Amino acid sequence: MGLGLGLGRVEGAVAELRTNPGQFADAGDLARVLSVGRRELDRLVRTAYHTSVTALFERARVEAAQRALAEGARWHDTAEHVGFTSSAAGEAVFRRWTGLLPQEWARLGERADFVLRLPRGFRSGPIFRVQARDADSISERSAGGTLIKALNLGGRPVRLAIRVTRDRAHCEIQGRPRAGRRVARAAHTAALRLLGMTQDPTPFERQVSRRRRLGRLVDGRSGTRIPQTADPFEGLIWCLVGQQVNLAFAYRLRRVLVGRVGTPAGDGLVAHPTARQVASLDVADLTRAQFSRRKAEYVVETARAIDAGRLPLDALSQRPAPIVEQTLLDVRGIGPWSANYLMMRGLGFADCVPAGDSGLSAALQRFFSLAERPDAAAQRELMEAFAPYRSLATFHLWLSLGDAP
């Protein structure tokens, strides 16, 4: 279903909401800007941004509050300025999206550690299994209930250790004597992504529970979230190295790339390289390490496009999904599977289907008791039953095979 209104109008109105959320008292104000009714607004926002109007407003207010707090504003004044009905109501929303109270977020960097409050029913098992699924990885490891991830933050390598207890995630920035506010806030953002806290699975679970045939998908796995890559570029690299090869070989290629141009972060770990670091490679550097010529070209050329500003990867998560998908499809080496996988795990879009994925095909065959594995077109058709939460449905289907995706 198309957007009806031009994407530019919708994107412009949402950009204004994100910039000045205090100017919008409620969804009715946004609907009036677009000259549509509330039901049409819901459809437009869901189609363009894969989220609800309520979530769109909450995220806009929280992000604007973070910008104000970073400049030294007081919370009471900030809450009113960004459009919360009260300080207390704003605190609850802020904590739900960030795991911290506003005052705690403002103090990030005073210590090397911070503690996130986890949502009720949070499941860390699938997340840790996915984030550290390569047992030989040199950029992350999971041991003793702690995930340790090497990251480039603020231009320097650090290790982010995350230990989950019942309803808390204890996060520690290791490798720097004093983190500083910029690094600590970047570490906080990375922790939210790694733990899958950028989306709420409750609406999806509520939707499938209404249909017995679909509800069994989440049996025993309620509270599961999609773990994001630490940043979009890491997600992009996963896509490019994982195309047309088995998982074990994809792990090996990623280790080669990280080891060649990543930054040592101590304790035997190496931070995943930035686009600039990968852009410095020659294609021959990778072909000598068992990359195919074409795969090596895709990796290096795409990194150079990002480094030169021709592909604004980090900004894509704020743009409408149809524009994001087409932007990615226009990149040499990125097809429909890669675009949807990256949108799902690197950019946080909630209604994507990496059609053509062999694991998804096997899971759909088992779940729907099909005589044969569905091809890409059939996968898209079957996944319509889970819209508008097909990203999370895909993740559950992968988990249903008993293996980390």
Side-chain angles (χ1 to χ4, degrees):
M1 186 183 298
L3 281 174
L5 287 176
L7 277 174
R9 280 191 62 197
V10 177
E11 185 174 18
V14 171
E16 180 61 25
L17 168 66
R18 288 170 168 157
T19 303
N20 300 299
Q23 301 301 310
F24 295 80
D26 53 30
D29 284 350
L30 183 59
R32 281 187 287 276
V33 168
L34 291 169
S35 301
V36 298
R38 178 56 196 269
R39 180 173 295 182
E40 178 65 3
L41 178 66
D42 291 340
R43 187 188 72 82
L44 289 171
V45 169
R46 181 68 69 181
T47 302
Y49 295 100
H50 290 192
T51 191
S52 67
V53 174
T54 297
L56 183 73
F57 266 73
E58 288 185 349
R59 289 296 295 269
R61 298 197 197 286
V62 168
E63 289 168 4
Q66 288 175 308
R67 293 193 296 270
L69 292 170
E71 294 175 358
R74 297 187 309 166
W75 170 245
H76 180 79
D77 298 332
T78 297
E80 180 180 359
H81 178 71
V82 301
F84 287 121
T85 55
S86 69
S87 295
E91 277 190 355
V93 173
F94 193 100
R95 186 172 68 178
R96 186 163 67 248
W97 285 105
T98 70
L100 299 172
L101 292 171
Q103 299 85 346
E104 293 169 333
W105 186 88
R107 292 196 299 269
L108 284 173
E110 293 179 1
R111 297 165 49 100
D113 62 333
F114 54 91
V115 180
L116 304 177
R117 295 167 180 81
L118 297 175
R120 180 177 299 178
F122 181 88
R123 296 174 66 86
S124 63
I127 286 174
F128 276 36
R129 206 160 77 239
V130 170
Q131 296 293 12
R133 60 196 183 278
D134 176 10
D136 298 319
S137 174
I138 60 174
S139 53
E140 59 272 312
R141 71 168 69 105
S142 178
T146 299
L147 172 70
I148 303 177
K149 174 78 174 176
L151 300 167
N152 268 306
L153 299 179
R156 294 184 60 183
V158 302
R159 299 184 307 278
L160 177 62
I162 304 175
R163 178 174 57 87
V164 174
T165 56
R166 289 179 56 191
D167 59 354
R168 298 286 191 274
H170 304 262
C171 305
E172 181 184 4
I173 302 166
Q174 302 174 345
R176 297 187 70 170
R178 187 173 183 276
R181 296 192 186 282
R182 181 183 174 192
V183 169
R185 288 167 183 165
H188 171 257
T189 298
L192 294 181
R193 290 176 58 90
L194 293 170
L195 293 171
M197 290 177 63
T198 58
Q199 292 178 1
D200 180 7
T202 307
F204 165 71
E205 294 175 6
R206 188 183 302 123
Q207 174 176 296
V208 297
S209 69
R210 299 191 188 108
R211 298 174 61 184
R212 181 177 300 179
R213 192 182 186 201
L214 301 183
R216 57 194 173 88
L217 180 61
V218 299
D219 286 349
R221 286 193 299 271
S222 62
T224 294
R225 294 163 176 262
I226 300 175
Q228 300 286 294
T229 53
D231 60 53
F233 182 66
E234 185 173 344
L236 175 61
I237 291 299
W238 268 119
C239 291
L240 294 176
V241 302
Q243 295 178 112
Q244 307 299 320
V245 297
N246 64 50
L247 203 54
F249 193 59
Y251 291 162
R252 185 187 182 284
L253 294 180
R254 179 174 179 266
R255 290 196 298 269
V256 166
L257 182 66
V258 172
R260 193 163 294 256
V261 287
T263 308
D267 197 26
L269 292 178
V270 180
H272 191 281
T274 63
R276 175 158 295 181
Q277 289 172 314
V278 176
S280 69
L281 289 168
D282 290 323
V283 169
D285 293 329
L286 298 180
T287 57
R288 285 193 292 266
Q290 292 191 294
F291 276 72
S292 69
R293 175 80 187 184
R294 184 164 295 179
K295 191 181 292 288
E297 288 174 350
Y298 294 162
V299 168
V300 174
E301 289 174 4
T302 306
R304 288 175 179 170
I306 294 169
D307 186 49
R310 297 192 302 274
L311 176 61
L313 186 63
D314 289 340
L316 288 183
S317 63
Q318 300 290 303
R319 303 210 65 192
I323 292 177
V324 174
E325 184 171 12
Q326 190 56 57
T327 299
L328 294 174
L329 291 174
D330 289 342
V331 176
R332 182 171 177 259
I334 296 182
W337 176 87
S338 301
N340 278 268
Y341 184 89
L342 177 57
M343 289 174 69
M344 171 184 167
R345 289 214 54 227
L347 297 172
F349 284 91
D351 197 32
C352 302
V353 181
D357 184 87
S358 60
L360 179 60
S361 179
L364 284 168
Q365 180 187 21
R366 176 188 294 182
F367 186 76
F368 287 110
S369 301
L370 304 175
E372 57 186 26
R373 289 193 177 187
D375 61 14
Q379 289 172 37
R380 293 188 188 95
E381 183 176 351
L382 290 165
M383 291 299 291
E384 282 293 328
F386 300 105
Y389 306 106
R390 286 174 290 183
S391 296
L392 190 49
T394 296
F395 190 64
H396 272 279
L397 284 161
W398 279 333
L399 292 176
S400 74
L401 295 174
D403 299 317

